[in-house]
Amino acid sequence: MLRTLVTAALLAASPALFAQSDAAKAPRKARFDCSQAKDPKACEERRTQLKAAHEKAVKACEAKKGGEHTACMRKEMCGQTKDPAACEARAKEIQAARDKVREACKGKTGDEFTACAREQRAAAKKK
């Protein structure tokens, strides 16, 4: 009887324990740590400019969905670079590589998909 009560109490409390996780409260960590860059101040300035450009692109493309949204975001982000044509070409290459990996790993999920995608990217780098 005691074991049943303790189990029920733990099960009842578990959602509340997970809801208190610090991970949910913590801000998202940056992909690149500017403190380790050659020029941390310039790195932070570039990050700030990129963030502002991304926010502007999101606002410009918020009404679009799917592939139309992706193309709009690419156009908006590349439109703010020094060489928009080169940016668009590089973005299209990246998208083509991503599509090729998705096609090669179609039907796989979880760890199996991750392993397949790694293999595909490694094979593409060797070429």
Side-chain angles (χ1 to χ4, degrees):
M1 179 72 173
L2 182 61
R3 185 181 295 170
T4 306
L5 288 174
V6 170
T7 304
L10 286 174
L11 284 173
S14 63
L17 293 174
F18 285 113
Q20 299 299 319
S21 172
D22 288 336
K25 296 177 189 175
R28 189 170 169 187
K29 197 172 180 185
R31 288 184 178 208
F32 183 78
D33 183 11
C34 283
S35 67
Q36 299 189 8
K38 289 181 183 177
D39 186 355
K41 187 176 180 182
C43 177
E44 286 294 338
E45 288 174 9
R46 279 192 306 274
R47 179 183 282 152
T48 302
Q49 288 174 346
L50 184 61
K51 190 174 181 180
H54 185 264
E55 288 172 2
K56 182 179 175 186
V58 167
K59 286 179 185 174
C61 302
E62 66 186 352
K64 299 179 175 151
K65 301 288 181 200
E68 199 176 300
H69 176 77
T70 303
C72 178
M73 287 292 290
R74 179 176 53 239
K75 184 178 177 186
E76 289 292 323
M77 291 296 291
C78 287
Q80 299 177 37
T81 62
K82 291 178 184 174
D83 188 358
C87 175
E88 291 247 3
R90 185 171 187 281
K92 287 180 181 176
E93 284 177 19
I94 291 168
Q95 183 64 45
R98 187 178 299 128
D99 291 343
K100 189 175 180 181
V101 168
R102 284 188 182 139
E103 184 63 33
C105 301
K106 188 184 281 184
K108 298 177 181 176
T109 58
D111 291 339
E112 187 180 13
F113 177 84
T114 303
C116 176
R118 281 189 186 134
E119 289 171 12
Q120 293 297 317
R121 287 191 296 264
K125 283 184 181 180
K126 289 180 182 178
K127 290 181 180 180

